[in-house]
Every structure is written in structure tokens, then in C-alpha cells.
Amino acid sequence: MLPWSIFQRPAAGTDAEPEPSEPSGRQLSDEALVEELLTTVASARSFQEFRRSQRKECFGLLRWLQLVLPLIQEIRETAPSLTDDAYRRLALLGRAFQAARRLLRCCHDGSKIFLALESEAVLARFQAVYEMMNHALDGMPYSEIGISDEVKEQIELINAQLKRCKKRSDTQDMELSMDFMMIIQNKEDGKADRAILERLAKKLELQSLADVRAETMAIKKLINERNGQQQESTKHIIELLNKFKEIAGIDEKNILGDVSIPKYLEKCPSLMIPNDFLCPISLEIMTDPVIIASGRTYERRSIQKWLDAGQRTCPKTQQPLAHLSLAPNFALKNLILQWCEKNKLEIQMGESEPAAEQEERKEDIPSLVKDLSSVHLDVQRKAAKKIRTLSKENPENRALILENGGLPAIISLVSYPDKKIQENTVTALLNLSIDETNKVLIAKGGAIPLIIEVLKNGSVEGQENSAAALFSLSMIDENKAAIGILGGIAPLVGLLRDGTIRGKKDAATAIFNLILNHPNKFRAMEAGIVPALLKILGDKKLDMVDEALSIFLLLASHPNCRNEVGTTSFVEILVQIIKEGTPKNKECALSVLLELGLNNNSLMVHALGFGLHEHLSDIAKTGTSRAQRKANSLIQLSCKCS
């Protein structure tokens, strides 16, 4: 069930700005150079809306450009004859402005998936722009270009700030990136995947057909710019796009290539198909057209995927749907059949799916909810088991369970002494929590302390599903805090230490998400998370090295937890993993070691004494792109510690 690995993937072909070279000669006149600087800044400042990720950094960069602008404006007003040194520095500043403009454009209309998935590489580009600006402004010959004392003081202050400017990681950007990597690393089709994808789709605004189409075009542009480079990263981006297509109900097998021609049109590609015959989602001739509450018609299979993904709006108009019923559009189906016959097209028309069985199952829900309160234990058991199954099947069932008062009935049974009822009700809550709004309702209904109790004392399956339920609920920030305050961290650490393999994986997933909340880091430390993680690292059969190191990285990033994590014995374990682990293991271990070494040089010295350096050199040449970056950073750090 575990989706994993928080680590960023390699930078794209356009991820990092090249080191600025000294401009040679005067390619423009003094006046033209100054005008080009002003034009570039104006162009960069025209971008006012940015993707959710890096939004803060974009507005910060715009402020820097605004602050430097008076220098260029004053040079234009005084129109001095530029010396070679002044010209060279202004030309360098121009290159920094151009890099800033490209970066702001990327954050304005680039791929949302790329920007969130590779946030670390994008932040490195911001840092490169700041360094280029600092390089250009450092030593600017103000007296030679007639700059007023007021502007000179302002620019010198800005330059001093640029010099101290360090790469910052926005917590929200980190969470987005980590969620993406958890999806990529998950090889199973678990409920957690769906929950994370739905949250990401909402945060990145990739829910509607138009949003996904725009994202597709941005990814096509990115692929063209990469020109065959960074294939692993590109593959991950495409995989994620396809997952967003699925939850948005979009059915296109070749969305990144040319529009694929359906087999039934291969013999007559020039045939013009009436637009009304095409499904707005799949863009193919409808074989089983159905009408939804908004009055629009869609292919049954495509719109059902849309609804099953939890959507409650019309894909085309975005208006809320009053109900989720699908009515066959027989008139349109007949027109399509007549048109196909006239044009000698053979397509397999779908038969309307019998709704009797589905309706019967829906009608069962009110009586099942009533049976949850029965005085007969067998009746309660059967009802809880059936509710568990129905809540897993589709969003409509989950909505009906809530509409019929099922949530308080389920919550009231979680504390029932019967282990089987506990299992089924906790799992039903897990299924219900797939829908974002239900996460809040479940927490408000008082379910969290009851789930924690099952986590402590329930059956093996009950404990595992309780951990999964807490993970799902912790997608909401308020729930992260509530789970920690109500005592959920300690039993999760206990499950991580003593549970089954599945239990350990579920616990690790939940703990990872929960300790994004800082107070929960301390609770995890008090509960003995460090020895539990070390035990996992020592058990090769578990294959949970990456999961353990991911949690270690979050702990090591907090000053108050770092001392307990950063011991010489742990550093030796990290070095051993760097020597013998898988490429991904090495990447994770390097990240943790770099975090510790940057804050404690003695740990770095100890790692070097344990034989680290030779392996860093090898990884810097042959490791994954991210591992290479971490290895190079550690090599630089080791030079300072030598």
C-alpha cells in the first residue's frame, strides 16, 4: 500500500541556468544596452500570475527586479559614456534579467507537474539568478556612470542582501513534491494513491478537462525543450499526467503524441465527423451516449470515470450536478448509427449498462445504515461488512451512506468490543475518507480517538487499516495536528517497530505525513522513532530503507531533532548504505548525510574517516541526477572540513 520516496528527481534540460560567462566586446551601443535592460525588466514584470508552486519565490524575484530598476532608469536619464567595466557589468546584469524573465515565464505557464515535482531544481534556478545579479552589481563603478548617492546606497544594500540570500524551501512546495514522489514510487494500486492524487489535482488545479489539456500542452513544450535529455524525469512527468487524466475522467491513450485515429477511421481519415457525435471527454464517436444532470451528453464509460473520481460537476460547463443519474440518449444514438451506416463505418455500439443491479445496491444502503444500530450482533456485523464493501466501490455510494446518516452510526461502532466490527467500521471510515470533504466530517464526528484506540488494541488487520485511515485523514493539516494531540503518534511508532510488514509500511506512510507538522516531530522522537527506524534499516528483508531514510530526513531538517538523529553510529550506517545500497538508497542516504553535515562538521569529518570520499566521487559520475547533485555538494563540504 505504501507510496514512497520524498526525494526530488533530476533537473530537466532547462532546469538550471548556465554559469554566466564574461561578455566579450560591445555587441550593443550604450543606449541600446540600457534600453534592452529596461525592456527585459518590463517583460519579466508582465507576468503577474504564477503556478501554485514557487509562487512566493516568483513574487520575491519580481521585488528584486523592481528594486534594481531605479539604477537602470537613472543611467538612461544621465546617459553617461560607459567605461568597459561599467558596460561589462550592465551586460552581465542583462543576462541575469533575461534568466529571470525565462524563469518567471516557466512559473507562469509551464507544466504544473514539472514545477511541483522538481521544485528543488527550480529553486536552484532562482538562486542562480540571484547570484548572477550579485555578480553583476558587485563592484559596479557608480562614480563612472554618475549615479546619485541615494540610488547607490539602495543598490549596495540590495547587493548585500543578494549576497546573503540562501535557497529557501517553501513547506507547501516540499509537500507537493513529496506527494508526487510518493505516487511515483508506489507500485501498488492503493487507496493512498487515490487520496494523494485527488489532493494534488485540487491544489494544482488539474481537475477539469481544460486544465488537463493546458497541462498537456505545457508538457509537450517541456519535452521539446529537453530534446531527448532527462528521459527518466520526463517519463515520471508523463506517468503523473496520465494519472491525473484518469481521475479527471479523460480517456486518451496517446495524449502526449499526435491525436490518435480510432481504428474505425483508419480507412477514411478524411471523413468529417459531426461534433455532436464526439464525446467531449474522449473526443471519439460515442457508442453509448448518456445525458447527465446538466443536460450535456457524454460517452457512458468516460463520464462514469469522471464521476467515480469524485467529481460532482459537468466536465464541459463546470456547473454542479443536481444528481448523478445517467440517462441513455437514444435519439442521438440512433442518429450516430444512421450516420455510420450511410458512411459505411463499422463501430461496435455499446449496450446500455443494466442499472437494475446497481440501483438495488443503492437501495440497500438506507436499510444497511439502519441495521448498524440493530440490537442483534449478527445483523450489525453483516451490515458493517456490507457498508465497508459499498463504501469502497464508488463516490456515489459514499455520498449515499453519509446522506442516510451512516457516518455517526459507523463511528459509534468503532469502539464496539467485537474485533470484526472494529475492522469493518475502521475500514469503512478509511474508504469514506477517500473523498476530501469526508476527512473533515470524520474528524469532527469524533472518530480520530476511536481509530487510535483500534490502532492500539485492535486485531492485526484493524491496526493496519487504522494506520491507513490516519494517513488518509492526515491529508488535512488540522487533522495532522489533531492526530498528534490525541496521541496517535506513539501507537504508529509501535506498529512501525512491531507490526507486520504491511503494518510497518502503513505506519511509515502515516508517520511521514504526520511529522510534516513540527510538534509531531517531537512526539515521534519521544515515542522512540529513532530506534524503530534504525531497526528497519537493519532488516534487509523489509526493503524499507528508502522509507526510513525519508523520515530521517524530515527529522534531521529540524534543529531540535537533529542532535538525536545525528550520531556517529548513524553516520556510519549512512556511509554503509552509500557504499552498498541501491541507487535510490544511495540518493536517500546522501540527502540525510548532507542535511546533517551542513549543520555539524564533525559528523562530516567522521564520515570521511569511514571511507566516504571515494564513493562520493563515483556517485558524482555514475549516480542518479539527484544523487550526483548531493554527492557534489558533499564533496564541496568535505573540502571545507578537511
Side-chain angles (χ1 to χ4, degrees):
M1 178 178 287
L2 182 70
W4 207 262
S5 185
I6 69 168
F7 298 100
Q8 305 296 338
R9 282 296 178 190
T14 56
D15 288 352
E17 298 293 341
E19 288 295 323
S21 58
E22 296 290 330
S24 58
R26 297 196 180 209
Q27 299 174 348
L28 298 171
S29 66
D30 293 357
E31 182 181 351
L33 173 61
V34 173
E35 289 302 322
E36 185 179 78
L37 287 168
L38 291 170
T39 301
T40 304
V41 172
S43 176
R45 292 174 63 203
S46 67
F47 301 113
Q48 294 295 323
E49 295 183 3
F50 301 102
R51 303 308 200 198
R52 183 185 180 280
S53 53
Q54 290 85 37
R55 188 175 291 169
K56 290 182 180 178
E57 204 70 39
C58 287
F59 287 123
L61 179 52
L62 284 174
R63 284 193 294 273
W64 286 117
L65 294 176
Q66 176 68 30
L67 290 169
V68 176
L69 195 55
L71 170 67
I72 314 303
Q73 291 170 333
E74 193 158 303
I75 293 174
R76 181 173 65 173
E77 290 173 6
T78 57
S81 178
L82 298 177
T83 63
D84 288 344
D85 185 32
Y87 186 97
R88 180 176 62 84
R89 293 195 177 279
L90 288 175
L92 281 172
L93 190 60
R95 294 190 180 192
F97 288 171
Q98 290 166 7
R101 179 178 59 188
R102 290 194 299 271
L103 183 52
L104 291 170
R105 177 184 289 279
C106 176
C107 295
H108 172 265
D109 55 25
S111 161
K112 297 175 181 179
I113 295 173
F114 160 72
L115 289 169
L117 176 65
E118 305 199 14
S119 60
E120 182 178 320
V122 177
L123 284 174
R125 290 179 63 182
F126 279 98
Q127 185 66 22
V129 170
Y130 299 147
E131 290 174 359
M132 291 168 70
M133 290 175 64
N134 171 243
H135 184 49
L137 294 173
D138 203 20
M140 181 72 71
Y142 298 105
S143 59
E144 296 177 9
I145 52 179
I147 297 301
S148 65
D149 290 341
E150 182 183 356
V151 171
K152 175 185 174 183
E153 290 174 3
Q154 178 178 326
I155 298 301
E156 286 180 337
L157 177 60
I158 293 168
N159 196 37
Q161 293 172 343
L162 282 169
K163 197 171 293 185
R164 295 193 301 270
C165 187
K166 294 183 179 180
K167 185 172 72 174
R168 299 182 298 274
S169 296
D170 186 273
T171 302
Q172 292 181 338
D173 289 353
M174 287 177 63
E175 289 188 24
L176 284 173
S177 177
M178 289 187 285
D179 282 346
F180 269 129
M181 293 315 304
M182 290 168 74
I183 293 294
I184 288 171
Q185 293 299 317
N186 188 19
K187 304 301 182 185
E188 301 175 15
D189 187 20
K191 303 178 189 70
D193 260 10
R194 185 77 183 194
I196 296 172
L197 279 167
E198 289 178 352
R199 176 174 70 170
L200 286 169
K202 182 177 180 181
K203 286 186 175 181
L204 295 180
E205 297 178 348
L206 288 174
Q207 295 175 291
S208 72
L209 181 62
D211 290 336
V212 177
R213 294 243 183 248
E215 177 66 12
T216 300
M217 298 307 296
I219 291 176
K220 285 182 180 180
K221 181 180 177 183
L222 176 67
I223 292 172
N224 289 335
E225 290 173 351
R226 287 182 164 183
N227 194 26
Q229 301 297 313
Q230 303 296 342
Q231 293 182 9
E232 182 188 9
S233 172
T234 301
K235 177 186 174 185
H236 289 320
I237 291 172
I238 294 172
E239 288 174 351
L240 289 165
L241 175 64
N242 288 334
K243 289 180 182 291
F244 282 117
K245 282 196 302 168
E246 289 175 11
I247 67 170
I250 299 171
D251 186 19
E252 291 177 285
K253 303 300 183 187
N254 192 23
I255 196 168
L256 286 176
D258 297 331
V259 177
S260 57
I261 300 175
K263 290 183 178 179
Y264 54 77
L265 291 180
E266 287 178 351
K267 296 180 180 179
C268 47
S270 61
L271 192 62
M272 295 298 294
I273 309 170
N275 284 334
D276 290 344
F277 293 179
L278 300 176
C279 172
I281 295 175
S282 68
L283 301 181
E284 293 186 5
I285 293 178
M286 288 181 278
T287 61
D288 189 8
V290 293
I291 305 169
I292 64 173
S294 65
R296 301 280 179 169
T297 297
Y298 296 89
E299 175 66 27
R300 181 186 294 275
R301 181 165 52 92
S302 297
I303 192 62
Q304 192 63 58
K305 281 187 178 181
W306 171 266
L307 298 175
D308 287 349
Q311 305 294 341
R312 294 295 181 270
T313 58
C314 172
K316 195 166 185 178
T317 66
Q318 292 299 301
Q319 71 182 82
L321 298 177
H323 58 80
L324 303 180
S325 300
L326 305 178
N329 191 335
F330 293 116
L332 180 59
K333 186 172 182 177
N334 288 332
L335 286 174
I336 293 173
L337 283 170
Q338 292 171 15
W339 182 86
C340 290
E341 184 178 352
K342 179 181 177 181
N343 290 282
K344 299 180 180 179
L345 282 182
E346 294 184 7
I347 61 173
Q348 186 66 41
M349 297 300 285
E351 296 298 326
S352 297
E353 183 180 327
E357 185 177 340
Q358 186 178 0
E359 290 301 320
E360 184 179 343
R361 290 164 69 82
K362 291 177 186 175
E363 290 172 5
D364 284 345
I365 288 177
S367 61
L368 287 170
V369 170
K370 186 177 179 181
D371 286 346
L372 290 174
S373 303
S374 172
V375 295
H376 302 292
L377 181 60
D378 286 345
V379 174
Q380 287 182 310
R381 280 179 178 168
K382 289 178 182 178
K385 184 176 181 180
K386 193 69 174 175
I387 287 285
R388 168 183 176 171
T389 301
L390 290 172
S391 63
K392 181 181 179 180
E393 287 183 353
N394 56 61
E396 189 170 4
N397 283 353
R398 293 192 284 274
L400 285 170
I401 290 169
L402 262 69
E403 288 171 10
N404 285 278
L407 184 58
I410 293 169
I411 292 174
S412 68
L413 283 180
V414 174
S415 59
Y416 201 84
D418 184 86
K419 299 289 185 183
K420 209 63 192 173
I421 287 180
Q422 286 182 358
E423 284 178 20
N424 289 326
T425 50
V426 162
T427 309
L429 290 176
L430 168 61
N431 295 336
L432 290 171
S433 71
I434 293 172
D435 298 334
E436 195 76 11
T437 54
N438 291 351
K439 298 181 197 298
V440 176
L441 296 175
I442 291 170
K444 287 184 176 179
I448 289 177
L450 302 178
I451 295 171
I452 292 172
E453 188 60 34
V454 176
L455 176 63
K456 291 177 181 177
N457 302 309
S459 65
V460 171
E461 185 180 352
Q463 290 178 331
E464 293 168 352
N465 288 347
S466 293
L470 291 178
F471 165 70
S472 181
L473 293 173
S474 69
M475 296 292 185
I476 304 293
D477 287 340
E478 307 92 87
N479 289 352
K480 284 187 181 72
I483 292 168
I485 292 169
L486 292 168
I489 303 295
L492 283 171
V493 172
L495 186 63
L496 180 68
R497 182 182 58 246
D498 303 320
T500 63
I501 292 177
R502 183 194 159 190
K504 291 177 187 291
K505 290 181 179 290
D506 287 337
T509 311
I511 291 169
F512 171 80
N513 210 43
L514 285 165
I515 64 174
L516 291 170
N517 173 278
H518 287 316
N520 285 342
K521 287 184 174 70
F522 306 120
R523 296 184 178 106
M525 298 294 284
E526 291 173 355
I529 185 72
V530 171
L533 292 174
L534 291 174
K535 183 180 177 183
I536 285 175
L537 289 179
D539 189 345
K540 304 301 181 185
K541 294 180 181 179
L542 279 177
D543 191 25
M544 289 179 61
V545 172
D546 296 341
E547 292 92 316
L549 291 177
S550 298
I551 296 174
F552 267 127
L553 181 62
L554 284 181
L555 295 172
S557 66
H558 197 283
N560 295 334
C561 300
R562 193 178 296 130
N563 289 338
E564 187 172 341
V565 172
T567 63
T568 54
S569 59
F570 179 52
V571 166
E572 291 175 10
I573 293 173
L574 292 177
V575 175
Q576 199 66 33
I577 293 171
I578 292 168
K579 290 179 180 179
E580 302 174 356
T582 66
K584 187 62 186 176
N585 293 164
K586 293 179 181 181
E587 184 181 306
C588 295
L590 287 167
S591 298
V592 179
L593 183 58
L594 180 60
E595 186 68 39
L596 294 173
L598 286 170
N599 294 280
N600 188 336
N601 287 346
S602 64
L603 291 177
M604 191 65 201
V605 171
H606 185 75
L608 292 170
F610 204 62
L612 174 67
H613 198 277
E614 60 181 288
H615 299 285
L616 290 180
S617 301
D618 181 57
I619 293 172
K621 297 174 184 175
T622 62
T624 65
S625 296
R626 178 177 171 80
Q628 289 178 11
R629 294 201 303 272
K630 297 298 180 183
N632 284 321
S633 296
L634 282 165
I635 289 171
Q636 293 176 10
L637 181 60
S638 66
C639 292
K640 297 178 182 178
C641 297
S642 305

